[in-house]
């Protein structure tokens, strides 16, 4: 059992102990409160599958660690900044996203197809997964809560401008809005427009401006944005 | 990212089982989508906060559907874990054999 798994159990125990103030049994023994129903179901699944040799607990821990600490929108921001400063890279990125993204060290083990959608003065791209929550993990990490909500999933297609307005993005009427519905096999990353007034910024400084929301298409990158992804 | 540790564990279980070929990611997405749709049809559209409950339901559906574990075994194991918590003194790590050897004196070597 790795340190992380002990942490998980300890954390569960600590949470349980808090609830226990109200749940001590009649003998006054300080036993642990029972975790939530979903937590118990996951423990049942995991312990049975581990016993059968179907999953390796260390591999589960490594995967969780990757998603909690190594994968996130900063990866996508570096891809976007590179595309802004390096026209040849941008060309490769638009022609075949996965290999170009892998050049920066970000790759998927699932083999799903990646497409980069370029925004321009007259075209704005918006990404959704109407059926569940397919999302370009290697470049954006796991999706935010709103991306998974029934409201976003249904409304992004029906009323994309209304959705974007709620995010504070008002697009002129002459800008064409294209909505892209992700699938298990096809994920999208929006390449936002490089904001004006950033000609003197370094690639790193540019990457710092690029937000997760801009790479999903519910925001634009501005010279003052960044830091929230 | 994960509001509670079980969400991370459920996430990782689905990804790893798919990587090992027990189901494709397309099958995963379809099963998850069916769970989300069923919740909406019950009049419980998710605001995203209950997403991992649907994720877990999809995982159980695929695990049992593919014969990796059956429902009675999962239910029995869930009860065993609940029992283990009830019978483990505060501050001690909760391990399943506390329940399996419930009549034996508690292992104080932990």
């Amino acid at each position: 059992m790795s340190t992380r798994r002990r942490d998980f159990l300890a954390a569960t125990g600590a949470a349980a102990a808090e609830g226990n103030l109200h749940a001590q049994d009649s003998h006054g023994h300080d036993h642990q409160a029972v975790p939530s129903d979903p937590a118990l179901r996951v423990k049942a699944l995991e312990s049975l599958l581990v016993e059968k040799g179907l999953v390796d607990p260390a591999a589960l821990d490594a995967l969780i660690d990757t998603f909690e600490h190594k994968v996130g929108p900063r990866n996508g921001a570096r891809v976007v900044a590179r595309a802004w400063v390096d026209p040849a890279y941008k060309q490769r990125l638009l022609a075949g996203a996965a290999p170009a993204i892998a050049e920066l060290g970000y790759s998927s083990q699932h083999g799903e197809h990646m497409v980069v959608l370029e925004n321009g003065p007259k075209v704005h791209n918006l990404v959704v997964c109407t059926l569940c929550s397919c999302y370009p993990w290697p470049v954006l990490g796991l999706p935010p809560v709103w991306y998974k909500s029934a409201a976003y999933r249904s409304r992004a297609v029906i009323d994309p401008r209304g959705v974007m307005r709620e995010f504070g993005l008002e697009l002129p009427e002459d800008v064409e809005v294209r909505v892209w519905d992700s699938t298990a096999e096809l994920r999208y990353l929006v390449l936002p427009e490089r904001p004006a007034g950033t000609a003197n910024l370094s690639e790193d400084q540019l990457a710092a401006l690029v937000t997760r929301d801009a790479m999903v298409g519910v925001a634009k990158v501005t010279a003052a944005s960044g830091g929230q992804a | 990212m994960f509001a509670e540790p079980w969400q991370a564990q459920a996430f990782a279980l689905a990804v790893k089982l798919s990587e090992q070929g027990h189901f494709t990611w397309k099958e995963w997405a379809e099963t998850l989508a069916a769970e989300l749709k069923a919740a909406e049809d019950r009049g419980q559209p998710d605001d995203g906060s209950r997403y991992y409950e649907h994720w877990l339901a999809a995982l159980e559906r695929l695990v049992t559907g593919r014969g990796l574990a059956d429902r009675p075994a999962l239910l029995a194991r869930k009860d065993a874990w609940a029992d283990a918590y009830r019978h483990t003194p505060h501050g001690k790590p909760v391990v399943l054999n506390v329940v399996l050897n419930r009549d034996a004196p508690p292992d104080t070597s932990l």
Side-chain angles (χ1 to χ4, degrees):
Chain A
M1 190 181 279
S2 73
T3 308
R4 204 201 130 75
R5 301 191 69 69
R6 281 198 297 273
D7 288 349
F8 170 55
L9 290 174
T12 313
E18 245 174 77
N20 216 17
L21 291 172
H22 308 287
Q24 291 186 6
D25 66 28
S26 55
H27 308 293
H29 292 164
D30 192 11
H31 291 150
Q32 307 201 18
V34 179
S36 68
D37 176 75
L40 286 172
R41 283 156 60 201
V42 171
K43 290 177 82 69
L45 273 168
E46 184 177 342
S47 58
L48 276 173
L49 295 172
V50 167
E51 274 167 30
K52 293 185 176 192
L54 294 170
V55 290
D56 170 11
L60 294 177
D61 288 348
L63 184 83
I64 293 167
D65 183 60
T66 297
F67 274 91
E68 285 188 325
H69 301 115
K70 292 171 192 145
V71 182
R74 291 297 95 214
N75 292 4
R78 286 188 202 100
V79 170
V80 168
R82 175 66 56 85
W84 284 346
V85 300
D86 181 345
Y89 179 78
K90 179 175 152 184
Q91 219 165 24
R92 291 199 296 283
L93 183 67
L94 294 173
I101 288 167
E103 284 179 40
L104 300 191
Y106 316 131
S107 57
S108 166
Q109 279 140 30
H110 289 240
E112 72 271 3
H113 199 54
M114 276 281 303
V115 170
V116 170
L117 310 161
E118 186 182 16
N119 283 352
K122 295 294 171 202
V123 176
H124 184 93
N125 296 284
L126 178 70
V127 178
V128 64
C129 174
T130 57
L131 285 182
C132 50
S133 52
C134 299
Y135 196 67
W137 290 351
V139 279
L140 294 186
L142 293 178
V145 168
W146 56 260
Y147 185 87
K148 301 179 285 195
S149 71
Y152 181 77
R153 290 188 288 112
S154 58
R155 288 191 50 225
V157 174
I158 302 165
D159 181 21
R161 286 177 187 272
V163 167
M164 288 189 282
R165 213 171 287 127
E166 283 166 25
F167 281 86
L169 176 59
E170 185 87 50
L171 292 173
E173 277 307 313
D174 64 339
V175 174
E176 180 193 350
V177 175
R178 296 179 184 163
V179 182
W180 301 80
D181 193 1
S182 315
T183 68
E185 293 127 331
L186 185 54
R187 316 287 175 95
Y188 300 101
L189 178 75
V190 174
L191 175 58
E193 284 182 281
R194 179 171 175 166
T198 57
N200 298 323
L201 296 188
S202 69
E203 188 176 331
D204 283 349
Q205 289 170 322
L206 287 169
L209 299 180
V210 181
T211 63
R212 173 196 68 205
D213 288 2
M215 292 181 281
V216 178
V218 294
K220 282 182 167 250
V221 177
T222 69
S225 65
Q228 69 189 44
Chain B
M1 166 167 320
F2 299 112
E4 295 176 48
W6 69 263
Q7 300 178 349
Q9 305 295 123
F11 168 76
L13 280 169
V15 172
K16 280 292 157 194
L17 288 173
S18 177
E19 278 179 12
Q20 285 155 24
H22 296 293
F23 43 82
T24 66
W25 201 249
K26 184 169 189 292
E27 289 165 330
W28 168 258
E30 286 165 359
T31 309
L32 177 58
E35 290 293 337
L36 293 167
K37 175 80 167 48
E40 281 170 41
D41 291 347
R42 289 195 301 268
Q44 303 169 332
D46 188 14
D47 63 0
S49 63
R50 302 185 64 183
Y51 174 76
Y52 278 104
E53 294 174 32
H54 305 304
W55 182 286
L56 173 56
L59 181 60
E60 288 172 332
R61 185 175 294 274
L62 275 172
V63 163
T64 53
R66 299 298 151 106
L68 306 179
D70 59 43
R71 292 258 175 211
L74 284 174
L75 282 173
R77 180 57 63 94
K78 182 189 151 194
D79 288 345
W81 274 113
D83 245 20
Y85 275 84
R86 288 189 201 101
H87 290 88
T88 303
H90 171 57
K92 298 283 182 192
V94 178
V95 288
L96 212 48
N97 62 20
V98 170
V99 164
L100 302 177
N101 305 305
R102 198 185 310 170
D103 298 331
D107 181 0
T108 50
S109 67
L110 293 168

